Amino acid sequence: MTNVEKHEYDVVVIGAGGAGLRAAVEAREAGLRVAIICKSLFGKAHTVMAEGGVSASMGNVNSDDNWMVHFRDTMRGGKFLNHWRMAELHAKESPDRVWELETWGALFDRTPEGKISQRNFGGHEYPRLAHVGDRTGLELIRTMQQRIVALQQKDARDHGDAESHIKVFAELTITEILKENGKVAGAYGYWRENGNEVLFQAPAVVVATGGIGKSFKVTSNSWEGTGDGHALVLKAGGRLKDMEFVQFHPTGMVWPPSVRGLLVTESVRGDGGVLTNSDGIRFMFNYIPEVFKDKYADNEAEGDRWYNDQANNRRPPELLPRDEVARAINSEVKAGRGSPHGGVFLDVSKRLPADVIRKKLPSMWHQFKELADVDITESPMEVGPTCHYVMGGVEVDPDTEAAVEVPGLFAAGEVAGGMHGSNRLGGNSLSDLLVFGRRAGAGAAVYVKQNGAASVSDSSVKAASDRLNAPFTRAGDENPYTVHAELQQTTNDLVGIIRTRVELEEALVKLAALRIRADKAKAEGGREFNPGFHLALDLDNMLLVSECIARAALQREESRGGHTRDDFPKMDAKWRQVNSICTWDGSKVTAVTQKLPSMPKELFDLFDPHELEKYMTPEEMTAQEGGAK
């Protein structure tokens, strides 16, 4: 125990993406001492992969846009399973968070009038995404990092030490959230470089670890996306909400195999790219759901006119919400109308001049030219669905982002559930990070000031250390890489875009067997520079999260958003009334249902009742129209 490196802070932020950094800034500006834990290199968070833009109803391109329209679009995109309060806060506060970024030095693209430029994206009624070419996430991270540096420079002047009140711990993995007397007391982890163990004592922990994509075979996520935060909170006694809803982004690269799954931004379609099958047909006109038919063009002529005259035309179906486009592509490929490498074609070259493509989509042009030897100014891209985002996550209080059931624990960003319902609209992720990252930091600051410092017992540290060292001490000879590959194949085959009861039940059997094998996965060699050791620990998190996804998907007997059941192909208004809740008792995952909070009448009245009839039960409609508050 004497070899454990120890630190004391007021707030520990696990994750250095947009949500984590925004939480850290807020907590530091409230006067607290903050540690930022970064699993990878600082600046390499998955936020940089968000290319298209950050959604905010600033009305810079179309003055008709406002928070109410953004709220409506978000609820529609989530098929009305969103927590209404989170969607409301997000829509109202996103513009302030974007303008705040600009005051901190973000360099957004501009309109001819000099305002922040905004572009079209799927599911958004108006051009709403503030952007920096197709590298918006990178600019967000750069700006937030610079804000951290500015705070450190101020601390250097005021306290004589730049890291006295806010410090980044890069390439460090947290393996456990520690509790004493039922409350958060800190976190435990290790330096990835040498395996040395680290204890952080803190009364508040903000989890902002991102997604779960590496549990799936084809994903846009980088190696860090192993569901760490989801699993950490579950093991700490928290609850995961709506884990069945996994977003398969419709457009990832499909060729060559080395880059399969790499994201192709929705900006390509927002700027005029069209999807065609092997017969050259724009197939999306055949896949417009009934609930969207009044908002999307049913012919190419009208869809094409929309780009220049949005007031008098319906938008093209290539800009349907992501879940609809992903299922359509999947159907075309299964029907034998796919591209040579198992995707479909996405073509922007016939819509925009080459110089405009290179200016508006520089990353995409470079990505395809360098990695696939395809010039997108001349030729179509091959694209297909890739596991991209999980809508489900930690159940939190919407206003403070406090994790339900765990005092002192907060969550923000992709790891938190509720905001996006059953499907996330493109661009809502970056504004989600900013809005709720700020609120999580503020919530943690209030909590710390009310509860004071925390200390961790020696017995808790010993138990955490034993669990961390299990890959070296356990009996067994399983290879963690083999188990991981089989996990990814299982989720790909049985818990993917299209699901059935038989396959989900088979997945749960296989996941149980893989968990037994993972408990025997041994790390060979020493602790320094040992990726097998890292993976053996990550496996436990990925298996836990995958079981939550499968159990929640088995429970929900309908199709909605990112969850499609072939044996229950339609939305069911009764299932819209409940969220899925997963808990962990130390040995098994349990999935139950929980009543969805009712939308207040003032928000209900923002929608056309005839639209809501497509989603809600007659009893709900009667109650709302009768004036329920």
Side-chain angles (χ1 to χ4, degrees), residues 183-198:
K183 296 181 179 181
V184 165
Y188 200 79
Y190 70 99
W191 291 105
R192 298 182 67 84
E193 180 183 42
N194 53 32
N196 291 346
E197 296 167 43
V198 188

Side-chain angles (χ1 to χ4, degrees), residues 228-304:
D228 295 1
H230 291 79
L232 286 170
V233 174
L234 205 59
K235 292 174 185 176
R239 295 139 58 115
L240 298 187
K241 177 179 180 178
D242 294 341
M243 290 301 291
E244 65 268 41
F245 297 112
V246 178
Q247 181 174 89
F248 291 84
H249 194 292
T251 57
M253 294 181 74
V254 300
W255 190 259
S258 60
V259 296
R260 185 174 179 86
L262 193 61
L263 192 65
V264 178
T265 176
E266 196 168 325
S267 306
V268 177
R269 285 175 286 131
D271 288 334
V274 299
L275 292 164
T276 60
N277 59 24
S278 59
D279 298 328
I281 295 171
R282 283 180 65 180
F283 57 85
M284 282 306 304
F285 291 98
N286 301 323
Y287 293 95
I288 304 173
E290 193 65 36
V291 294
F292 287 120
K293 283 194 173 177
D294 60 330
K295 297 177 177 63
Y296 287 84
D298 56 9
N299 62 88
E300 291 189 28
E302 183 180 6
D304 290 342

Side-chain angles (χ1 to χ4, degrees), residues 111 116 136 160 184 272 365 371 531 606-607:
T111 66
I116 293 175
T136 312
V184 165
W365 180 82
L371 300 179
L606 295 176
F607 298 91

Side-chain angles (χ1 to χ4, degrees), residues 87-151:
E88 178 191 23
L89 288 171
H90 170 261
K92 286 180 173 177
E93 296 180 7
S94 292
D96 285 342
R97 300 287 72 79
V98 173
W99 288 319
E100 180 179 66
L101 275 184
E102 186 174 42
T103 67
W104 291 348
L107 301 172
F108 289 103
D109 292 348
R110 320 304 291 190
T111 66
E113 299 80 23
K115 298 178 181 179
I116 293 175
S117 180
Q118 296 185 271
R119 61 163 42 119
N120 291 300
F121 238 54
H124 293 279
E125 184 170 346
Y126 297 116
R128 186 177 290 144
L129 273 75
H131 56 91
V132 184
D134 56 0
R135 296 169 178 158
T136 312
L138 181 62
E139 182 69 1
L140 188 153
I141 284 291
R142 183 199 68 78
T143 303
M144 291 305 307
Q145 283 182 293
Q146 184 56 43
R147 186 64 179 171
I148 299 292
V149 170
L151 291 170

Side-chain angles (χ1 to χ4, degrees), residues 3 8 24 51 108 160 176 312 325 336 373 385 415 533 557 575 581:
N3 294 327
E8 289 188 29
E51 297 156 324
F108 289 103
E176 195 158 338
N312 298 303
V325 181
D373 195 26
V415 75
F533 170 45
E557 294 182 336
W575 273 105
I581 301 294

Side-chain angles (χ1 to χ4, degrees), residues 58 287 377 384 397 541:
M58 297 183 288
Y287 293 95
T377 68
D397 173 78
N541 296 336

Side-chain angles (χ1 to χ4, degrees), residues 12-16 20 35-38 174 176-177 187 205-210 232:
V12 171
V13 178
I14 308 173
I36 301 170
I37 313 298
C38 181
I174 295 297
E176 195 158 338
I177 293 169
V205 170
V206 177
V207 176
T209 51
L232 286 170

Side-chain angles (χ1 to χ4, degrees), residues 366-383:
H366 183 268
Q367 180 174 307
F368 274 87
K369 188 65 176 173
E370 294 298 317
L371 300 179
D373 195 26
V374 171
D375 186 341
I376 68 171
T377 68
E378 300 175 354
S379 307
M381 307 157 241
E382 283 190 75
V383 298

